[in-house]
Amino acid sequence: MNNTLKSKSLDIDTDQASKIILEPYVTEKTFNIIEKENKLSFIVHNKATKGQIIKSMKIIYEADISEVNTFNTIRGKKAIMKFKNADGARQLATNLGLV
């Protein structure tokens, strides 16, 4: 896994993508940004780059992401992603059973 994330290449397969995107991050605040800002939060691998996160979301969820902001939290590295599709965050959250 570490070798995969050290690589600058964005050639990611499904197995690698599932090791980059770990789990949805859900709080009351994240529910608000789903509706108001078309954004969704995930805990990601602590060495994942923004490019790897975008590619992994495309592979796992077939989601087109326009921007990613990352930062470290007590629970690990968190990525807040804005979707290109105007209703993308709500659709994915519904599919995942978050809303």
Side-chain angles (χ1 to χ4, degrees), residues 6 8 12 14 16 18 20 23 28 30 39 42-43 45 47 49-50 57 62 67-69 74-75 81 84 86-87 96:
K6 286 181 182 177
K8 296 295 181 191
I12 298 173
T14 305
Q16 293 166 329
S18 66
I20 291 172
E23 63 183 341
E28 187 175 327
T30 61
K39 294 180 180 178
F42 283 84
I43 299 295
H45 189 278
K47 302 262 189 212
T49 65
K50 290 179 181 184
M57 288 296 290
E62 299 178 359
E67 70 181 64
V68 176
N69 292 315
I74 293 172
R75 291 198 49 203
M81 295 166 260
K84 288 182 182 177
D87 205 25
L96 295 173

Side-chain angles (χ1 to χ4, degrees), residues 21-85:
I21 306 295
L22 302 178
E23 63 183 341
Y25 183 79
V26 182
T27 65
E28 187 175 327
K29 183 177 178 180
T30 61
F31 279 117
N32 290 334
I33 66 170
I34 290 170
E35 293 296 325
K36 293 179 182 175
E37 300 178 37
N38 195 33
K39 294 180 180 178
L40 201 54
S41 300
F42 283 84
I43 299 295
V44 298
H45 189 278
N46 64 350
K47 302 262 189 212
T49 65
K50 290 179 181 184
Q52 290 170 327
I53 293 167
I54 290 169
K55 182 72 173 173
S56 296
M57 288 296 290
K58 181 71 172 172
I59 291 170
I60 296 171
Y61 300 112
E62 299 178 359
D64 290 320
I65 306 299
S66 63
E67 70 181 64
V68 176
N69 292 315
T70 60
F71 50 95
N72 293 315
T73 68
I74 293 172
R75 291 198 49 203
K77 188 172 188 176
K78 183 167 69 167
I80 299 176
M81 295 166 260
K82 184 171 179 122
F83 288 72
K84 288 182 182 177
N85 179 354

